Amino acid sequence: MPRFLTMIRIDEKNVPEGGPSPELQERMGALLEEITKAGVMLDTAGLRPTSEGARVTWDKGELSTTDGPFTETKEVVGGYSICQAKDMAEAVEWAKRFLSTHEDYWTITAEVREIEG
């Protein structure tokens, strides 16, 4: 069965103060329990802010490391999931359900990509 990586993109400057509300956390928890029981979810997690991260670049034979935050980037990956679904349409449907758990004031995007191999 194909596997899919869903990257949740956020604008760190516009994340609601205090993070997800208790109600959102409850809705996400219920959905994650449902998707896990359905045998779809393989792994998921949120990511720490880019201020705690680093980028390692290989360019023309040279390695360089840049510590976060990455101010030139408007959107960053704030979380991910790895699912197995029958096809892209099913994986996108689960991503839509995840995004729909959020309140209207959130602006987030889910990028769904099939994992090769």
Side-chain angles (χ1 to χ4, degrees), residues 1 5 18 24 34-35 39 43 54 58 70 72 75 96 98 100-101 115-116:
M1 185 173 288
L5 170 67
L24 172 56
E34 179 185 346
I35 194 171
D43 190 26
W58 175 259
F70 311 119
E72 72 281 1
E75 289 183 337
K96 287 179 177 177
F98 176 76
S100 297
T101 63
I115 298 171
E116 191 168 11

Side-chain angles (χ1 to χ4, degrees), residues 7 17 46 66 69 110:
M7 294 170 279
E17 196 168 313
T66 305

Side-chain angles (χ1 to χ4, degrees), residues 31-102:
L31 179 61
L32 293 177
E33 184 176 330
E34 179 185 346
I35 194 171
T36 299
K37 285 182 179 176
V40 174
M41 181 65 70
L42 300 176
D43 190 26
T44 187
L47 299 177
R48 302 290 302 163
T50 60
S51 61
E52 299 175 23
R55 283 186 178 159
V56 180
T57 302
W58 175 259
D59 182 30
K60 299 175 185 162
E62 298 280 332
L63 277 172
S64 63
T65 304
T66 305
D67 292 331
F70 311 119
T71 55
E72 72 281 1
T73 304
K74 181 173 168 78
E75 289 183 337
V76 299
V77 177
Y80 75 93
S81 68
I82 298 175
C83 300
Q84 56 184 7
K86 65 180 179 185
D87 54 25
M88 175 64 82
E90 182 183 6
V92 167
E93 188 59 36
W94 283 111
K96 287 179 177 177
R97 288 191 58 194
F98 176 76
L99 295 183
S100 297
T101 63
H102 292 71

